[in-house]
Amino acid sequence: MSRLCIMFLTFNRMEYAERCLRAVIENIKWSGELRVHIADDGSPLGYTEHLHTIAGGYSRVVSASYSNSARRGYGCNYNLATQCTHDYNDVILPLEDDWLLTKELDCDTIVTAFNDERIG
């Protein structure tokens, strides 16, 4: 089964970020390995570590990692996170910290469709 990584883009919005991160981990349907990468753009000390701890606290999350683009902006943050996740995951789901998943997202079905030669 494929490895899915939630690439979580964030900057200094703890209330939104924590709610979004918990919602996506709890509501995503995935049979393979689920990984989380926190892509921070230079938030205050402790911010990224707190989100990393939340992600790692879920038994369904196989690994949690993070990167810090040090206030170089959205594009740099996204590109750095992509570099950090691309080699170790088969599917990457990029999300921003103000997005909220309120019901199940069936990634098993979506990835199966992508892997179909007639669609892929």
Side-chain angles (χ1 to χ4, degrees):
M1 184 47 115
S2 300
R3 296 163 297 195
L4 170 69
C5 182
I6 299 165
M7 188 172 82
F8 190 73
L9 299 146
T10 188
F11 172 70
N12 201 23
R13 299 194 294 187
M14 186 60 79
E15 183 179 335
Y16 290 109
E18 189 172 328
R19 183 175 63 194
C20 176
L21 184 59
R22 290 183 189 282
V24 72
I25 295 171
E26 292 169 6
N27 289 308
I28 204 162
K29 180 182 175 196
W30 182 249
S31 301
E33 289 185 12
L34 181 62
R35 300 162 182 230
V36 175
H37 181 82
I38 310 296
D40 182 40
D41 189 27
S43 299
L45 189 62
Y47 179 86
T48 304
E49 292 81 0
H50 178 68
L51 295 175
H52 182 264
T53 300
I54 289 171
Y58 285 87
S59 60
R60 65 185 310 219
V61 175
V62 173
S63 70
S65 57
Y66 59 91
S67 58
N68 187 331
S69 61
R71 300 295 300 136
R72 291 183 298 212
Y74 181 85
C76 182
N77 193 29
Y78 188 95
N79 289 338
L80 178 60
T82 301
Q83 290 171 2
C84 292
T85 59
H86 182 73
D87 288 342
Y88 306 104
N89 300 286
D90 303 304
V91 180
I92 298 171
L93 177 62
L95 299 177
E96 295 181 24
D97 61 8
D98 60 353
W99 186 80
L100 187 61
L101 184 60
T102 59
K103 60 184 179 178
E104 182 179 272
L105 175 63
D106 185 352
C107 288
D108 285 329
T109 301
I110 295 167
V111 171
T112 298
F114 284 151
N115 287 331
D116 186 322
E117 291 178 3
R118 298 169 296 166
I119 298 170

